[in-house]
Amino acid sequence: MRYCVLGAGSWGTTFAQMLKDEGKEVCVWARREEVVELINREGRNPYTGDLALSVHATGDVNECIDSSDVVVIAIPTQHIREMLETIRVDVRKVLNLSKGLEISTGKRISQIVSEVLNVPYCVLSGPSHAEEVMRKLPTAVTVAGDFAEEVQRDLNTRTFRVYTVDDVVGVEIAGALKNVMAIAAGILDGLGGWDNAKAALMTRALYEMVKYGVQFGAKPYTFMGLAGIGDLMVTCNSRYSRNRWFGERIGNGENPQALLSSMKMVAEGAYTVKAVVKMAEKLGLDMPISREVYKIIYEGKSPLASMKDLMSRAPKPEMEILKELKEF
């Protein structure tokens, strides 16, 4: 299959070069003309450091898509709808790498793609920081959707292992919410790196992710796999995680809004949490970790006050909702 990768950030560029290394035809669309020139003229991208690039880049999205079999989405979630609406050529299939929920609607990326393009769709997710994929370190991901087996056959290598799962909704919600939870984990790191608290937070975060996901038809077992607990672990702990780093800076006392405005790369969880809290309120769903992350970022609540409020919640059974699910 021939690929057009929309987005020349660290993950989009690394993914494109991985495809190229495996003998695939690939084109990368970049928003900034200087990035296009660097990739084509010097074989490098400031977002991928010393990674030597042999892919072709363009600033013309329609040129990139026109010769491709699969359009790969690797741009920030809040720009996806606008980006897709600029396309003036036929799109055959979409493979999504981005993770998040649209703030204005609360919709998943598959829903946005369906509304704008209505073409076969897959989503690829899992613990896959670009910094390690570009070094060809062992990585495992999962893919769900209309042509998942094709993606698995095309992308599976000795260092990039691809599994399949039959749950687009679960993969997308897990990928979106784990970024919110990673901000909370980073805040704990900034407060002092409390091991007991972080272990508890990650465990309850997984529960909160499943609780949210099943409201939309996600399968609970998806959250036990690479798209769920796998991605949650790496994003909450890795030095490469932008969301964890963002939270750590907040835990160190920095202003969340000032941080957001100064970041060159996107901490998706800071935007996804708006959609999650809005939807949870609409559904009457208790999402305590997400709610506290939102209050810290957008209402100026102190991290220590949020920790106190979380620990002061009324005692309850640990798995009060999940134990009722037949899948468990």
Side-chain angles (χ1 to χ4, degrees):
M1 291 190 288
R2 298 166 299 173
Y3 292 83
C4 164
V5 179
L6 301 183
S10 58
W11 185 212
T13 304
T14 297
F15 190 82
Q17 187 59 46
M18 182 182 73
L19 292 170
K20 183 70 171 180
D21 290 344
E22 293 301 314
K24 308 296 188 297
E25 292 184 43
V26 58
C27 171
V28 179
W29 172 83
R31 177 178 58 85
R32 294 166 51 199
E33 185 59 36
E34 60 268 32
V35 173
V36 173
E37 291 180 3
L38 278 172
I39 292 174
N40 290 337
R41 186 179 66 247
E42 300 181 21
R44 65 182 182 89
N45 184 336
Y47 293 114
T48 53
D50 296 331
L51 178 65
L53 303 175
S54 56
V55 296
H56 171 70
T58 179
D60 185 336
V61 65
N62 292 297
E63 172 196 335
C64 188
I65 292 172
D66 197 32
S67 61
S68 68
D69 298 305
V70 180
V71 174
V72 180
I73 296 175
I75 59 177
T77 302
Q78 306 312 318
H79 301 303
I80 289 175
R81 185 183 295 274
E82 178 185 7
M83 178 78 255
L84 297 183
E85 288 175 345
T86 68
I87 296 173
R88 298 291 178 264
V89 296
D90 288 339
V91 174
R92 297 175 178 86
K93 299 176 181 177
V94 167
L95 172 62
N96 173 43
L97 309 183
S98 299
K99 301 171 183 178
L101 301 173
E102 191 174 45
I103 294 172
S104 60
T105 65
K107 291 182 177 179
R108 295 174 284 106
I109 295 170
S110 61
Q111 294 172 300
I112 299 171
V113 171
S114 177
E115 290 177 359
V116 180
L117 299 177
N118 192 26
V119 295
Y121 173 90
C122 277
V123 54
L124 183 145
S125 191
S128 50
H129 282 305
E131 291 83 354
E132 295 194 351
V133 174
M134 71 176 65
R135 293 162 56 199
K136 298 191 182 302
L137 297 177
T139 299
V141 297
T142 196
V143 63
D146 299 316
F147 54 104
E149 288 77 16
E150 291 181 58
V151 173
Q152 183 182 49
R153 288 194 300 269
D154 226 29
L155 300 188
N156 199 73
T157 72
R158 282 184 284 184
T159 60
F160 194 79
R161 185 167 175 81
V162 183
Y163 290 86
T164 61
V165 65
D166 58 344
D167 183 14
V168 168
V169 177
V171 171
E172 290 189 317
I173 288 178
L177 267 66
K178 61 90 184 179
N179 284 329
V180 176
M181 306 310 172
I183 293 174
I187 290 172
L188 282 181
D189 289 342
L191 289 174
W194 307 334
D195 293 342
N196 290 350
K198 191 170 182 180
L201 173 77
M202 291 173 63
T203 305
R204 297 305 297 171
L206 182 63
Y207 172 78
E208 192 165 306
M209 289 161 59
V210 179
K211 183 167 64 172
Y212 187 90
V214 298
Q215 297 292 315
F216 301 92
K219 299 175 181 179
Y221 61 73
T222 301
F223 296 84
M224 304 303 113
L226 290 163
I229 193 169
D231 213 0
L232 178 68
M233 286 192 293
V234 79
T235 312
C236 286
N237 291 307
S238 175
R239 64 188 182 277
Y240 301 126
S241 169
R242 294 191 295 270
N243 291 282
R244 192 210 62 79
W245 176 88
F246 175 70
E248 184 175 17
R249 298 286 292 268
I250 294 171
N252 283 331
E254 296 190 46
N255 182 280
Q257 293 303 310
L259 275 173
L260 281 177
S261 62
S262 66
M263 288 181 69
K264 293 182 179 180
M265 301 182 78
V266 177
E268 284 279 10
Y271 303 99
T272 295
V273 73
K274 287 185 174 183
V276 170
V277 170
K278 181 180 178 181
M279 185 61 69
E281 290 177 351
K282 180 179 179 180
L283 297 173
L285 193 62
D286 188 25
M287 300 281 288
I289 299 173
S290 300
R291 186 180 63 245
E292 292 303 323
V293 169
Y294 178 88
K295 289 182 176 180
I296 290 170
I297 296 174
Y298 296 105
E299 297 181 1
K301 188 172 183 178
S302 80
L304 286 175
S306 283
M307 176 63 68
K308 180 179 179 181
D309 287 346
L310 285 171
M311 293 299 292
S312 300
R313 285 162 48 83
K316 59 177 65 178
E318 184 179 7
M319 298 292 176
E320 59 181 337
I321 291 179
L322 301 192
K323 65 183 180 182
E324 300 174 4
L325 298 174
K326 292 182 181 179
E327 290 89 341
F328 277 8

